[in-house]
């Protein structure tokens, strides 16, 4: 049965005119209210004023001489940049991070240097698989990215809504993405592809147990937690190293949608989460998240008994409890979505002194992949796009030229280093610490998947988990179902037998009554 509050939300969204001002639904009306008449004379992109008749009619006139027409038409077909391969659709906003607890004995990063210190942030939340025109209520992991505009440059945490990731070896990235995307022949999402990946790469099942559980569809972004997924190396001013995982917990509470609720919402509002975030910020109901870390010493790492840098695993909270750091608040909507959210570019390599990143191979691969993705989508100077600029520090790179935007292109400063002509110089850190090198065993996280099933999910949650798995795997080929059942039995016999029984009971009908394999 649909929860009463969901019915209320759906009804409000479906209304054409709301009695209460809705910043998301009435943005363009609000713009009209705050401006007195036209804001000025329209121009072409070169700044020439546009005469009224040129802007209203072209019939019986020479088109090529109408610069407004030529400017508009030739720009229109160039208005789309490549969308992100994953995380294509998103909501986002801006705000600030505030330090509430002193951790300078762990990390020397300046934006963490004093209680009460505030740093501007930009956050972006996104389903992983759906395209830009997709739905907000898909059963999927979510990207959870936060950019801190610190005085030492930008620091980006590019995390997820789950505390673990899919695979341990970055070689699997392209396989994972393609298996979830559209079949190259049919152009349809294909359960055979997804379940082939999940059953060939069983470490992925730990994360997908969460995705198929109640936590697989967050109730909007304001109620969605975030996790850095990597175990970061950090250093204090004396060069002493620790290792941390970042946690973001919504102060409004974690809330999720059941499958049927999500389907009903999608029928009337596919942009549910994006709308909710924009509307509530516009109304002054600013969402906030607590920022905590789990902390390990070098001895903790050596004596943990498992690979603490394995992104497919979590760090047990009873062994490494959360330590509060601060909170961040989103209090400003984007003024222009394309300029500020679509062009918002994150990169795990955006680190600051005191935070060295993760020593694991997935982090190393992401340093390359994210940078390359931004070059492809936004060009070589993507960090000069205003939303990506390190606004709290003076930027003096030796990079020059390339595709727009260039801004002043570093004016007349020398363009090579080292030089004898007073160009920028590198700073010296007497306590500089290198990122440690680690050896990583083959992935094995079945014990944590078992722990999740037994101790983190209640009886009704386990019921819904089984139902959601059956919905997904039902159309897949017989041999994939058999392979999946064996793996689920390894996680826990109860889970495996329930999946096996559900598949045998015609609750889910396979589209394939034959098996080529």
């Amino acid at each position: 049965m649909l929860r009463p509050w969901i019915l209320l939300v759906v009804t409000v969204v479906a209304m054409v005119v709301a009695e209460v001002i809705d910043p998301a639904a009435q943005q363009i009306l609000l713009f009209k209210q705050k401006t007195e008449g036209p804001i000025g004379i329209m121009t072409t992109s070169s700044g020439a004023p546009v005469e009224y008749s040129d802007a209203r009619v072209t019939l019986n006139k020479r088109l090529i001489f109408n610069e407004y027409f030529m400017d508009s038409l030739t720009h229109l077909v160039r208005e789309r940049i490549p969308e992100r391969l994953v995380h294509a659709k998103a909501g986002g906003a801006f705000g600030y991070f505030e330090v509430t607890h002193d951790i300078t004995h762990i990390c020397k990063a300046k934006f963490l240097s004093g209680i009460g210190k505030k740093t501007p942030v930009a956050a972006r939340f996104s389903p992983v698989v759906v395209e830009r025109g997709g739905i907000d209520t898909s059963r999927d992991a979510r990207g959870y990215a936060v950019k801190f505009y610190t005085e030492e440059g930008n620091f980006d945490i590019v995390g997820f809504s789950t505390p673990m990731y899919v695979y341990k070896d970055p070689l699997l990235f392209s396989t994972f993405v393609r298996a979830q995307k559209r079949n190259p022949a049919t152009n349809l999402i294909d359960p055979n592809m997804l379940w082939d990946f999940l059953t060939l790469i069983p470490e992925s099942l730990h994360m997908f147990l969460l995705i198929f559980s109640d936590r697989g569809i967050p109730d909007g972004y304001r109620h969605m937690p975030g996790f850095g997924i990597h175990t970061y190396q950090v250093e204090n001013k004396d060069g002493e190293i620790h290792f941390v995982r970042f946690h973001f917990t919504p102060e409004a509470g974690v809330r999720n949608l059941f499958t049927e609720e999500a389907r009903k919402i999608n029928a009337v509002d596919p942009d549910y989460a994006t709308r909710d975030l924009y509307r509530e910020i516009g109304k002054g109901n600013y969402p906030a998240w607590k920022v905590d870390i789990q902390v390990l010493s070098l001895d903790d790492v050596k004596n943990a008994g498992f690979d603490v840098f394995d992104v497919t695993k979590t760090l047990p909270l009873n062994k490494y409890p959360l330590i509060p750091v601060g909170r961040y608040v989103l209090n400003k909507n984007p003024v222009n979505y394309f300029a500020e959210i679509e062009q918002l570019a994150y990169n795990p390599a955006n680190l600051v002194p005191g935070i060295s990143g993760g020593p694991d191979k997935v982090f190393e691969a992401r340093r390359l992949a994210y940078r390359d993705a931004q070059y492809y989508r936004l060009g070589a100077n993507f960090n000069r796009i205003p939303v990506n600029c390190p606004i709290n520090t003076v930027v003096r790179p030796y990079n020059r030229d390339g595709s727009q935007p260039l801004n002043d292109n570093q004016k007349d400063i020398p363009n090579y280093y080292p030089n004898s002509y007073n160009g920028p110089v590198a700073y010296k850190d007497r306590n500089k610490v290198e990122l440690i090198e680690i050896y990583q065993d083959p992935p094995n996280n079945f014990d944590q998947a078992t722990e999740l099933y037994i101790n983190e999910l209640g009886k009704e949650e386990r019921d819904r988990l089984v139902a959601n798995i059956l919905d997904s795997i039902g159309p897949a080929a017989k041999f994939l179902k058999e392979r999946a059942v064996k793996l689920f039995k390894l996680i826990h016999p109860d889970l495996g037998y329930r999946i096996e029984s559900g598949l045998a009971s015609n609750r889910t009908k396979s589209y394939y009554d034959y098996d080529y394999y």
Side-chain angles (χ1 to χ4, degrees):
M1 179 180 292
L2 197 63
R3 299 180 198 171
W5 64 267
I6 291 291
L7 285 173
L8 177 61
V9 169
V10 171
T11 302
V12 170
V13 170
M15 294 173 62
V16 177
V17 179
E19 294 181 3
V20 180
I21 291 178
D22 180 342
Q26 301 177 353
Q27 179 275 328
I28 200 163
L29 297 177
L30 293 172
F31 177 83
K32 181 178 181 180
Q33 291 175 10
K34 69 181 182 182
T35 56
E36 295 183 6
I39 61 172
I41 298 296
M42 66 187 292
T43 73
T44 64
S45 59
S46 64
V50 177
E51 197 276 326
Y52 180 83
S53 62
D54 286 343
R56 302 288 291 188
V57 62
T58 63
L59 300 179
N60 303 313
K61 297 182 179 181
R62 299 181 70 175
L63 295 179
I64 199 169
F65 290 167
N66 185 329
E67 186 56 24
Y68 169 73
F69 168 79
M70 295 294 290
D71 192 44
S72 301
L73 185 66
T74 55
H75 189 280
L76 178 66
V77 296
R78 294 167 173 81
E79 284 184 359
R80 293 297 175 265
I81 63 175
E83 76 170 37
R84 289 166 168 87
L85 174 66
V86 287
H87 304 284
K89 184 180 185 184
F94 302 88
Y96 64 89
F97 165 77
E98 181 176 4
V99 178
T100 58
H101 292 74
D102 183 8
I103 63 164
T104 53
H105 60 292
I106 294 173
C107 182
K108 68 180 181 182
K110 287 185 179 179
F111 80 100
L112 301 172
S113 62
I115 294 176
K117 185 162 187 173
K118 292 184 178 181
T119 299
V121 299
R124 187 178 187 273
F125 313 114
S126 54
V128 174
V129 179
V130 299
E131 293 95 345
R132 272 198 65 187
I135 63 174
D136 282 353
T137 52
S138 60
R139 182 164 296 283
D140 192 4
R142 264 67 176 172
Y144 191 110
V146 184
K147 184 184 293 291
F148 298 79
Y149 298 97
T150 89
E151 61 201 271
E152 298 176 296
N154 292 346
F155 170 50
D156 293 353
I157 296 179
V158 191
F160 279 80
S161 61
T162 57
M164 77 292 282
Y165 191 52
V166 188
Y167 50 78
K168 189 172 183 176
D169 190 332
L171 190 65
L172 293 168
F173 175 66
S174 57
T175 304
F176 172 60
V177 171
R178 290 167 180 161
Q180 291 191 97
K181 289 291 187 176
R182 296 179 181 275
N183 181 305
T186 66
N187 199 39
L188 299 172
I189 300 297
D190 192 336
N192 288 297
M193 296 164 58
L194 172 63
W195 283 97
D196 192 31
F197 176 87
L198 294 180
T199 54
L200 286 174
I201 315 297
E203 72 255 35
S204 64
L205 291 174
H206 187 204
M207 178 174 170
F208 271 80
L209 282 184
L210 274 188
I211 293 174
F212 286 119
S213 77
D214 291 349
R215 305 181 211 181
I217 311 178
D219 184 9
Y221 297 130
R222 295 183 300 121
H223 297 282
M224 185 175 80
F227 305 88
I229 70 171
H230 299 280
T231 302
Y232 286 72
Q233 178 179 312
V234 299
E235 304 90 37
N236 64 19
K237 62 182 178 59
D238 298 318
E240 298 168 337
I241 64 173
H242 289 81
F243 303 89
V244 305
R245 280 205 185 185
F246 291 95
H247 294 245
F248 304 92
T249 306
E251 293 184 355
V254 175
R255 229 163 54 187
N256 301 290
L257 297 171
F258 296 156
T259 301
E260 287 305 313
E261 293 172 336
R263 288 172 178 166
K264 287 183 169 67
I265 290 173
N266 174 50
V268 294
D269 189 10
D271 302 311
Y272 173 77
T274 305
R275 186 187 312 280
D276 175 74
L277 181 67
Y278 189 101
R279 179 175 54 216
E280 294 307 308
I281 292 175
K283 290 166 62 176
N285 298 329
Y286 302 139
W289 285 260
K290 295 185 298 179
V291 181
D292 300 299
I293 54 175
Q294 291 176 282
V295 180
L296 295 81
S297 67
L298 189 56
D299 284 339
D300 290 332
V301 170
K302 293 176 180 178
N303 299 316
F306 69 99
D307 181 2
V308 301
F309 302 105
D310 184 346
V311 292
T312 72
K313 291 186 175 182
T314 61
L315 302 184
L317 289 170
N318 60 350
K319 192 173 182 180
Y320 313 105
L322 294 179
I323 295 176
V325 176
R327 66 191 294 262
Y328 84 88
V329 180
L330 296 180
N331 59 8
K332 179 180 177 295
N333 278 318
V335 175
N336 182 281
Y337 182 89
F338 178 85
E340 297 178 282
I341 304 300
E342 184 63 21
Q343 293 192 121
L344 185 54
Y346 291 91
N347 184 355
N350 286 348
L351 302 165
V352 294
I355 304 177
S356 300
D360 60 280
K361 284 299 176 185
V362 171
F363 191 91
E364 185 177 345
R366 294 178 86 194
R367 292 183 70 145
L368 168 64
Y370 277 70
R371 184 191 307 276
D372 192 51
Q374 310 306 352
Y375 282 152
Y376 169 66
R377 296 182 60 250
L378 303 172
N381 291 304
F382 67 86
N383 277 326
R384 295 182 185 179
I385 296 171
V387 73
N388 299 320
C389 285
I391 57 177
N392 276 339
T393 187
V394 178
V395 181
R396 296 190 181 97
Y398 276 93
N399 296 335
R400 299 290 187 277
D401 309 340
S403 59
Q404 303 80 2
L406 295 177
N407 302 327
D408 62 14
N409 203 30
Q410 297 300 305
K411 297 183 178 178
D412 57 351
I413 300 172
N415 68 344
Y416 64 93
Y417 178 83
N419 64 77
S420 305
Y421 306 104
N422 297 329
V425 296
Y427 82 102
K428 295 180 180 180
D429 184 351
R430 294 180 180 177
N431 293 316
K432 179 176 171 57
V433 177
E434 298 294 338
L435 189 65
I436 67 169
E437 294 187 15
I438 61 174
Y439 171 81
Q440 294 194 280
D441 295 321
N444 182 358
N445 57 22
F446 272 36
D447 55 338
Q448 289 201 350
T450 302
E451 174 74 13
L452 170 61
Y453 183 72
I454 296 175
N455 294 324
E456 294 189 39
L457 301 180
K459 179 182 181 302
E460 292 184 353
E461 288 180 291
R462 289 195 289 269
D463 292 343
R464 290 188 290 269
L465 168 68
V466 170
N468 291 331
I469 291 174
L470 290 172
D471 280 346
S472 176
I473 200 173
K478 181 182 177 183
F479 82 100
L480 295 174
K481 296 174 184 176
E482 293 172 349
R483 206 157 71 189
V485 167
K486 291 178 181 178
L487 290 170
F488 285 128
K489 285 182 178 179
L490 289 176
I491 292 173
H492 196 278
D494 175 70
L495 175 61
Y497 289 128
R498 293 180 70 178
I499 299 296
E500 186 175 42
S501 299
L503 290 171
S505 68
N506 290 326
R507 287 181 57 191
T508 53
K509 169 65 176 172
S510 172
Y511 298 135
Y512 305 100
D513 294 326
Y514 49 83
D515 192 348
Y516 288 125
Y517 304 94

